[in-house]
Structure formats: structure tokens, C-alpha cells
Amino acid sequence: MELLMLENFIDGRFLPCHSYIDSYDPSTGEVYCKVPDSGKEEIEAAVEAARKAFPSWSSRSPQERSQVLNQLADLLEQSLEELAQAESKDQGKTLTMARTIDIPRSVQNFRFFASSILHHTTESTQMDHLGCLHYTVRTPVGIAGLISPWNLPLYLLTWKIAPAIAAGNTVIAKPSELTSVTAWMLCKFLNKAGVPPGVVNIVFGTGPKVGEALVTHPEVPLISFTGSQPTAERITQLSAPFCKKLSLELGGKNPAIIFEDANLEDCIPATVRSSFANQGEICLCTSRIFVQRSIYNEFLKRFVEATRKWKVGIPSDPSASMGALISKAHLEKVSTPLSSKLQKVFGREAQHKHHTHWP
Ligand code: NAD
């Protein structure tokens, strides 16, 4: 099998890297792709390109930038099937999910911000007694550093790129090293859509190496991050000395609360879907369910029955409800019995206490 070799995209050009890391097909466990193992050098090159592109891109009118974003959306839409197949293979999610959610939403992200920038308004305050009018003008910050996770790869990456460039910023994006393929495919459309060189730079590699080089670069005043809490803590610490603008979208342990008057016909399929869609790899997935004691047994029986009907299959199988988990490490994490996780968090005694409170 021929390996897919990704390259960084800097200043409108694909550039090879000095070293590469393996990327796996989660459904087979085989290495099928090599991802650039970038570092400081690549970030320097991307910063230079983004800095050079900023004056001209930020002084374009919102109408002009909007047109470019719409053009990009159209190109992505024309390649929806190709992108969906790539996303499913790279991430392990079902092809159905990639076709109906991930890629259509990526297209919509560009369309949404292409429209939103045309209707953008700001506030003003009149102070008649002083003869003053205070008003706000929003200006782009410069180079935005965008770091995205592996669960909804193109969806969340474009959700960051689209608003940043619509507002006149230039960007350096770093997708997850586990799911870099659709970001690399996106690069092919950027020049075609008329995105000027240097406006969008995509640099691939690991968090500790290239991610930290981006976060600590003094010429990148804004970091937008989606991912886990520990990484967010690290990014906050690293960027604090620079007083960077930070946007952090993190994980949660979202509970569903089911009361006895709930309509179980609707509630059971909704709860199964909210728990297991995208293999349960969504930040807003239900990870705890609180059920009123009076309907607990009934709910549990029906929830388990409905869950058993969910088919785990190869991602391209149209009848599969769930594909493959992203990595072996993640499989081990979610397979760890709840009791040992509790033990880690609460210690032996508290673990026992918690068990006795559960029906
Ligand atoms: P992660 O924190 O391990 O990685 C996210 C990104 O950060 C990756 O690109 C990674 O390479 C990079 N990174 C890792 N260490 C870094 C460092 N030291 N410096 C800079 N960058 C670094 O998260 P993940 O496992 O890829 O993603 C899953 C997490 O994302 C889950 O917790 C999930 O709930 C959360 N998530 C949240 C949202 C949301 O909107 N709130 C959406 C999707 C996922």
C-alpha cells in the first residue's frame, strides 16, 4: 500500500518537512499516512508568510473577503464525497456521519461567516450632555493561531478558520496529528478559491512540538483552541506571559437527567444517540445519565435493548451506527472500568461509598 504523504501549506505552497510521524487508519490499525513532524522552523516560516499577507488581506472590504469564503464553500461542496471518504478513513467515524454532518457543516462554516461578515454591526453610545458619541470599531488582531482536535477534524478546523479570515486576520492552523488528512485536502482548494498566499497556513505535527511553538510565538497574539482540559491548562500557562487573547473550548462530562414523566419512546433513542454518536467522541455527548428511581429499571432495560441494536462496523458500512475509536490509547481509556477511574479520583473508600449510592 502506498503511503499518503502530507506536506505543510505555507505561503500558498506545499512544503515537505524534514521528518514525519505515522498516522493510522483507526479501523485497521495500519499506518497509511505520514504527517509532517513540524516544529519551530516551520512556525517561523508560517509567521513570516502570515505577517506579509496581513496588510493586504485586512484592508480588503468585507464583500471581497465574503466572496472568497463563498468560493471556498462551493469548492468544498463539489468535493463533498471525496472529503467524506477521507474523513471517515482518517478518523474512524462512519462514512454516513462524515457525509451528512462533518463535511456539510464544514461547507456551512464558510457560508455562515461569509454572510455574517456582511451584516456585522457594532455598538455606539450617545452622551448628549457631553456632546460625545462613543463607538466601537472591531479590527482584526493580526495572526491567529488555531489548534483543533481529532473528533470532528474538518468541521472544527473550518469553524476556526472561517471567522478568523472573514474578519481580516491571517491564520496559522495546527490540526490534530491524529487526523490531518482533510486539513491537507483543504489546502488544495485555498489557492483555487482565491485565498491569497499566506492568509491561511496549515502546519502539521504534535502538540508539544509544533503546537507549543505556535502558542509561544510572540507575533501570534490570539490562540483559539478546542481540545482537552489538560492541554488548555498548558496553553494558558504558556501564553500568559504574552497576555494573548485565548479562546478555549474544552471537554465536559455531560449529564442527561430523565424524570418519570419523560416520554420514553422519544427519550430512549435520543439518549442512545446523544451518548454514542460519532463513537461517543463528541464534547457534548451524554456521559452520565441520571434517572428518577421510579422509572430506573424500565429505562435501563429499554436503554440497553436500544443500545444493543446499534451496529459497530467498519466505517464505510452504511448499516453501521458506530465506526472505530480514534486510537489504541483512546480505546484503552474508554475501556477502563468505571470503578478504577473512580478509585483514581476519589480513592478506595470514596469509591465504595459511591457504589452504594447507585441503584
Ligand atoms: P487534545 O487536547 O489532546 O488535543 C487538541 C489539540 O491540541 C491537538 O491538535 C493537539 O495536537 C494539540 N495539543 C496537544 N498538546 C498541546 C500543547 N502542549 N500545546 C499546544 N497544542 C497542543 O485534545 P484531543 O484529545 O485531540 O480532543 C478531544 C478533546 O476535545 C475532548 O476533551 C473533547 O471533549 C474536546 N472537544 C471539545 C469541543 C468543544 O467545542 N468544547 C469540541 C470537540 C472536542
Side-chain angles (χ1 to χ4, degrees):
M1 184 183 59
E2 205 182 321
L3 288 176
L4 189 58
M5 297 290 293
L6 309 193
E7 289 179 315
N8 289 320
F9 187 76
I10 298 172
D11 207 9
R13 285 177 303 145
F14 283 104
L15 297 173
C17 197
H18 46 85
S19 65
Y20 287 82
I21 44 181
D22 291 339
S23 182
Y24 297 83
D25 173 340
S27 70
T28 62
E30 281 172 13
V31 174
Y32 85 107
C33 172
K34 294 273 184 186
V35 173
D37 184 15
S38 316
K40 281 192 175 151
E41 199 182 310
E42 289 76 12
I43 290 296
E44 278 304 337
V47 166
E48 199 185 321
R51 187 203 307 125
K52 216 171 57 190
F54 179 71
S56 144
W57 180 248
S58 58
S59 55
R60 285 203 192 184
S61 69
Q63 285 74 11
E64 285 174 290
R65 292 198 299 262
S66 171
Q67 267 175 10
V68 173
L69 264 74
N70 273 323
Q71 177 70 15
L72 193 50
D74 292 346
L75 291 170
L76 289 181
E77 197 166 42
Q78 285 158 25
S79 297
L80 193 146
E81 182 56 26
E82 191 192 342
L83 286 162
Q85 299 223 6
E87 197 72 296
S88 167
K89 184 173 175 67
D90 201 35
Q91 205 278 341
K93 66 180 67 219
T94 64
L95 183 52
T96 311
M97 174 100 185
R99 254 185 207 144
T100 55
I101 309 275
D102 289 71
I103 310 304
R105 173 62 190 260
S106 308
V107 172
Q108 279 311 317
N109 286 341
F110 285 111
R111 293 226 169 100
F112 177 87
F113 287 104
S115 166
S116 137
I117 198 67
L118 298 178
H119 308 290
H120 185 66
T121 55
T122 56
E123 286 187 342
S124 67
T125 316
Q126 245 169 297
M127 298 186 81
D128 290 341
H129 60 297
L130 295 176
C132 297
L133 174 69
H134 297 282
Y135 59 90
T136 319
V137 178
R138 290 192 178 268
T139 52
V141 297
I143 307 173
L146 314 176
I147 302 177
S148 52
W150 47 256
N151 57 347
L152 297 153
L154 192 64
Y155 173 143
L156 288 174
L157 180 74
T158 52
W159 183 240
K160 293 189 183 301
I161 293 177
I165 63 171
N169 301 286
T170 55
V171 309
I172 301 173
K174 194 216 79 70
S176 167
E177 62 276 25
L178 302 177
T179 52
S180 296
V181 172
T182 48
W184 171 74
M185 290 170 78
L186 170 71
C187 300
K188 298 183 187 179
F189 300 114
L190 293 170
N191 292 341
K192 250 187 170 175
V195 178
V199 171
V200 177
N201 305 278
I202 304 198
V203 180
F204 298 98
T206 65
K209 196 169 160 191
V210 73
E212 293 198 8
L214 179 59
V215 169
T216 54
H217 199 290
E219 287 184 68
V220 179
L222 179 152
I223 300 292
S224 171
F225 167 80
T226 300
S228 64
Q229 169 88 17
T231 308
E233 285 171 18
R234 175 85 182 138
I235 288 175
T236 307
Q237 283 162 0
L238 290 173
S239 58
F242 303 92
C243 290
K244 296 194 178 202
K245 283 174 184 280
L246 278 188
S247 154
L248 306 169
E249 279 194 317
L250 313 180
K253 280 278 154 220
N254 316 300
I257 304 176
I258 321 280
F259 290 109
E260 62 185 4
D261 60 350
N263 173 351
L264 292 188
E265 276 306 301
D266 294 338
C267 171
I268 300 270
T271 317
V272 172
R273 211 172 45 246
S274 71
S275 304
F276 302 119
N278 203 46
Q279 301 75 242
E281 296 170 337
I282 304 186
C283 53
L284 38 75
C285 267
T286 301
S287 43
R288 294 174 295 160
I289 308 176
F290 295 102
V291 185
Q292 195 162 4
R293 204 174 288 276
S294 54
I295 57 159
Y296 178 76
N297 289 333
E298 167 77 359
F299 179 90
L300 183 65
K301 184 172 147 279
R302 289 172 65 175
F303 183 82
V304 169
E305 271 166 16
T307 302
R308 288 215 166 105
K309 288 190 188 134
W310 266 47
K311 181 174 161 189
V312 180
I314 56 164
S316 58
D317 177 353
S319 66
S321 315
M322 282 174 92
L325 290 175
I326 181 69
S327 63
K328 194 155 179 273
H330 193 58
L331 171 69
E332 276 156 17
K333 187 175 164 194
V334 299
S335 313
T336 309
L338 189 57
S339 54
S340 57
K341 283 185 195 161
L342 284 171
Q343 189 169 348
K344 221 167 135 195
V345 177
F346 298 111
R348 194 172 283 271
E349 211 176 308
Q351 176 203 342
H352 175 69
K353 258 202 209 150
H354 271 74
H355 271 298
T356 54
H357 278 85
W358 288 342

